[in-house]
Amino acid sequence: MHRAEKAGSLFILAMLTSAAVYAALSYMPFSAITSVSVDGTPSLERIFLPLAGSSYLSSRRFWAEIAASALPYVDDVSIALDNGKASVAAEYRKDGVMIASHEKVYIVYPDSAEEIDFEDVPFLMGLYPIVEVGDDFIGDPYRRDVIRAARELSGLSSLITWMEYCNNLTDGSSALIIDLPVFRAELAVRDVVSGTDIRESIAMISREADPAYADEAHYELFSDGLVRV
């Protein structure tokens, strides 16, 4: 075969190979991202929604994943691409408690505490207990007990919509106020007790709940038992 014929054959082979590679790549997640859906917080949306129009393998996607992993409540994040549509899903850290003052919101884990955006709170309320506190909470001697009790109530978000820690009650004492709208009730934890004690008290309140009773029922939990007031 002459050199010209060889060159022609190689050119045709290269063209066929390029066409095959292009066809293969069109079915792989290397194509452009046409749209993005995010199942997560507003902060995650801000990170990933701008990826629309970029390549699946671009550095923008790489840096977006790094930024998402830096959020204190994110354990892992994944992106799935289907016909140009990217779906973002996150896995969240466990054992978190949100502590909200008038100025800031923190998410507290057994080994860390970091500030988060207020706008992420509504989404995270389905995952973590939240306690409203005063601005002086950091110096409160019972803060660790409050956080521990709230953490042990994780998983009751369908019953507990809000908790508030008050350390300036009229009698000078403090209490963790737990709102239980499903039972038309409010529970004030007045002593340092375990999460099991609080859960058992909520179970007792649920058995006493009367849907026909219009007024909210008020309970107080002490170290020696539950009292309806």
Side-chain angles (χ1 to χ4, degrees):
M1 182 180 293
H2 295 294
R3 181 178 299 179
E5 292 176 339
K6 288 183 178 180
S9 298
L10 291 174
F11 177 77
I12 294 172
L13 180 61
M15 291 293 292
L16 291 174
T17 301
S18 298
V21 170
Y22 179 81
L25 289 177
S26 66
Y27 290 97
M28 296 179 69
F30 299 103
S31 57
I33 298 174
T34 58
S35 63
V36 181
S37 63
V38 180
D39 181 16
T41 63
S43 289
L44 284 169
E45 291 180 342
R46 281 199 306 273
I47 291 171
F48 285 105
L49 291 182
L51 291 182
S54 65
S55 168
Y56 183 79
L57 289 183
S58 69
S59 60
R60 288 177 60 190
R61 175 201 164 195
F62 173 74
W63 289 112
E65 290 178 336
I66 290 178
S69 298
L71 294 172
Y73 47 78
V74 171
D75 190 42
D76 191 19
V77 66
S78 61
I79 306 177
L81 189 68
D82 183 17
N83 293 324
K85 298 179 180 179
S87 300
V88 179
E91 294 181 13
Y92 297 89
R93 290 186 61 184
K94 301 183 184 302
D95 296 328
V97 174
M98 289 188 291
I99 302 297
S101 69
H102 293 94
E103 298 180 352
K104 297 180 179 180
V105 181
Y106 291 88
I107 189 160
V108 181
Y109 295 98
D111 58 349
S112 64
E114 295 189 51
E115 186 177 352
I116 61 174
D117 289 339
F118 270 101
E119 61 182 352
D120 291 342
V121 171
F123 181 92
L124 296 174
M125 283 177 66
L127 303 174
Y128 304 113
I130 182 169
V131 182
E132 181 182 356
V133 300
D135 295 331
D136 59 347
F137 181 72
I138 191 66
D140 192 287
Y142 295 108
R143 69 184 183 280
R144 296 184 186 276
D145 297 310
V146 172
I147 293 172
R148 175 191 54 76
R151 179 174 288 115
E152 292 178 358
L153 295 177
S154 181
L156 296 181
S157 59
S158 61
L159 301 179
I160 302 173
T161 56
W162 195 259
M163 289 185 281
E164 180 180 3
Y165 176 64
C166 302
N167 60 357
N168 56 352
L169 299 179
T170 54
D171 61 358
S173 63
S174 59
L176 177 63
I177 311 297
I178 301 175
D179 188 26
L180 300 165
V182 174
F183 307 129
R184 293 180 179 270
E186 179 185 88
L187 172 63
V189 181
R190 300 296 299 268
D191 290 335
V192 177
V193 297
S194 69
T196 300
D197 292 330
I198 300 175
R199 285 176 176 269
E200 290 177 351
S201 296
I202 292 174
M204 292 177 62
I205 293 171
S206 70
R207 291 192 291 269
E208 292 185 3
D210 183 358
Y213 189 65
D215 295 333
E216 185 179 62
H218 294 268
Y219 294 84
E220 292 187 348
L221 176 60
F222 298 90
S223 58
D224 58 353
L226 180 69
V227 178
R228 183 166 181 168
V229 296

